[in-house]
Amino acid sequence: MTTQEKFETQTFEAQTYEEWLKFAAESLQSNARDNPYLDAKTDVYLLLSTVTQRRQAYIMAFPETLLTQEEMRRLSQLLSRRAKGEPMAYILGERDFWSLNLAVAPTTLIPRPDTEILVEKAVELVKNKINSLHFNRQSFSILDLGTGTGAIALALSAELTDWAEKFGVILRIWGADFLPDAVELARSNARRNHIHNVEFVQSDWFDNIHESFDMIVTNPPYIDAQDEHLTQGDVRFEPLTALVAAENGFGDLRHIIEQAPNYLKPQGYLLLEHGWQQGEKVRSFFAQNLWQGVETLKDYGDNERITLGRLK
Ligand SMILES: C[S@@+](CC[C@H](N)C(=O)[O-])C[C@H]1O[C@@H](n2cnc3c(N)ncnc32)[C@H](O)[C@@H]1O
């Protein structure tokens, strides 16, 4: 009997938290050969905590608590999805990013910790700029292209809005995605996190953008359609629209770098996330007569990951 059938034909004999945790961890572990990305123990605690609405501390303190039939049924469904390798973020419907808790959906990418490096650098640049002697304007504008869940735009708002206000500067942030469902998800994430100064628009890159910004940030699709990683781990469940780009993965990066000067104010910044082997080529897309200070930053694994430049 396959693991899938085992879950589906399981009769729900009364089980305690402890019994279910043991059963579930063993079931996932027996799947780990096909699916080395599972972290069985952490995952089963999270699933149990989600379904019972109990904190892990409560589960550990009262392991003899009996599960209800409805809880057992829900747990069986979620465990079955996890056993097939579906990312925990899609199963739970949420993921933490920066200081935020974001709803996630299969329409777009699950936000990654590496993208926080882009946020960190953007925060540093905005603070330096507003702090500088030459900054005498009353607003600072940022565009997040390919916003997905809204992760980057919302993190920048959460980090910078109050800080900018202390300097009398109003932060204006836009997020754009070409998928209506992603735009809706990003808007709901703004409400979920009580963020009111980010506007989300539907736009195929710059097609629906009609002004210029102090900073453009983006984590566009950058994977080659033939890349074998697309058939492994979490990305198998994420949409190709968020992952794959033409020109061996460089098409969207090149397009954005070439078009950005038309949508940036003088001295405006462009920051892009890209693949760990793409740094050199991405730097070459920045025309020398237009850009200055082009550099690439490394991620936590010491790989080239974020390239930025400032318009002359
Ligand atoms: C790698 S995901 C990044 C999502 C989010 N910014 C993050 O960092 O988690 C790329 C996003 O770009 C969007 N996208 C792809 N092609 C696009 C296009 N032509 N115009 C606008 N957005 C696009 C996808 O829908 C997806 O949400």
Side-chain angles (χ1 to χ4, degrees):
M1 189 188 280
T2 64
T3 315
Q4 165 75 20
E5 286 162 348
K6 207 160 72 192
F7 292 140
E8 283 173 0
T9 56
Q10 183 194 344
T11 50
F12 300 119
E13 282 169 33
Q15 272 186 325
T16 62
Y17 288 175
E18 189 176 24
E19 286 164 346
W20 185 83
L21 284 169
K22 188 165 175 292
F23 156 78
E26 280 170 9
S27 303
L28 286 188
Q29 263 148 9
S30 69
N31 243 276
R33 257 170 292 124
D34 311 328
N35 200 342
Y37 304 92
L38 292 172
D39 178 0
K41 282 212 169 110
T42 313
D43 292 353
V44 295
Y45 260 106
L46 271 170
L47 294 179
L48 186 58
S49 175
T50 303
V51 167
T52 60
Q53 299 281 295
R54 297 286 190 191
R55 290 179 188 278
Q56 287 199 19
Y58 182 96
I59 292 170
M60 288 165 90
F62 303 102
E64 70 285 2
T65 310
L66 275 177
L67 288 158
T68 66
Q69 281 294 305
E70 179 55 20
E71 287 170 340
M72 301 269 293
R73 194 186 57 76
R74 282 275 297 141
L75 283 167
S76 176
Q77 283 169 345
L78 301 189
L79 191 62
S80 166
R81 287 169 64 186
R82 187 60 188 135
K84 289 182 208 147
E86 189 172 338
M88 282 299 282
Y90 282 154
I91 296 175
L92 302 178
E94 61 179 30
R95 166 59 51 95
D96 288 340
F97 179 83
W98 201 255
S99 57
L100 310 170
N101 178 265
L102 300 173
V104 300
T107 188
T108 188
L109 194 87
I110 300 165
R112 306 283 203 276
D114 280 341
T115 304
E116 294 185 345
I117 297 167
L118 185 151
V119 174
E120 250 167 41
K121 188 65 188 177
V123 166
E124 178 193 318
L125 292 172
V126 174
K127 286 188 172 178
N128 286 347
K129 181 86 181 183
I130 294 179
N131 250 330
S132 77
L133 289 177
H134 310 293
F135 193 80
N136 56 4
R137 286 184 287 110
Q138 279 161 0
S139 70
F140 190 96
S141 56
I142 304 175
L143 171 65
D144 171 21
L145 282 176
T147 196
T149 55
I152 300 173
L154 295 172
L156 291 175
S157 169
E159 195 63 31
L160 288 167
T161 302
D162 291 350
W163 186 89
E165 253 175 43
K166 286 188 203 141
F167 290 80
V169 175
I170 295 170
L171 203 61
R172 301 167 68 227
I173 305 181
W174 279 262
D177 205 290
F178 74 152
L179 295 179
D181 284 353
V183 172
E184 219 21 75
L185 180 66
R187 284 184 185 140
S188 76
N189 275 325
R191 292 191 293 273
R192 182 183 178 108
N193 288 279
H194 313 291
I195 288 174
H196 307 291
N197 64 340
V198 183
E199 203 165 308
F200 291 103
V201 294
Q202 189 187 345
S203 179
D204 185 345
W205 297 136
F206 293 101
D207 283 2
N208 202 17
I209 304 295
H210 306 292
E211 55 185 293
S212 46
F213 299 86
D214 293 294
M215 176 180 276
I216 297 173
V217 290
T218 183
N219 174 17
Y222 52 71
I223 301 178
D224 178 2
Q226 305 306 321
D227 192 318
E228 60 183 20
H229 293 100
L230 290 169
T231 58
Q232 298 168 9
D234 285 6
V235 292
R236 287 172 298 157
F237 292 83
E238 292 175 297
L240 293 177
T241 46
L243 300 168
V244 168
E247 302 171 28
N248 300 325
F250 287 97
D252 292 325
L253 290 160
R254 186 185 54 71
H255 176 75
I256 292 169
I257 296 168
E258 285 176 3
Q259 290 301 313
N262 302 322
Y263 300 90
L264 276 174
K265 295 179 185 166
Q267 312 287 313
Y269 288 101
L270 172 62
L271 289 85
L272 311 107
E273 178 172 327
H274 51 72
W276 63 285
Q277 291 172 314
Q278 292 178 318
E280 189 176 349
K281 192 152 180 191
V282 168
R283 288 191 294 278
S284 78
F285 293 145
F286 282 80
Q288 284 189 7
N289 58 332
L290 291 178
W291 298 94
Q292 57 193 324
V294 175
E295 63 168 320
T296 300
L297 310 176
K298 292 188 169 174
D299 62 18
Y300 303 122
D302 210 29
N303 298 308
E304 290 196 327
R305 180 65 68 181
I306 312 288
T307 293
L308 62 120
R310 185 149 63 112
L311 202 60
K312 283 187 176 166

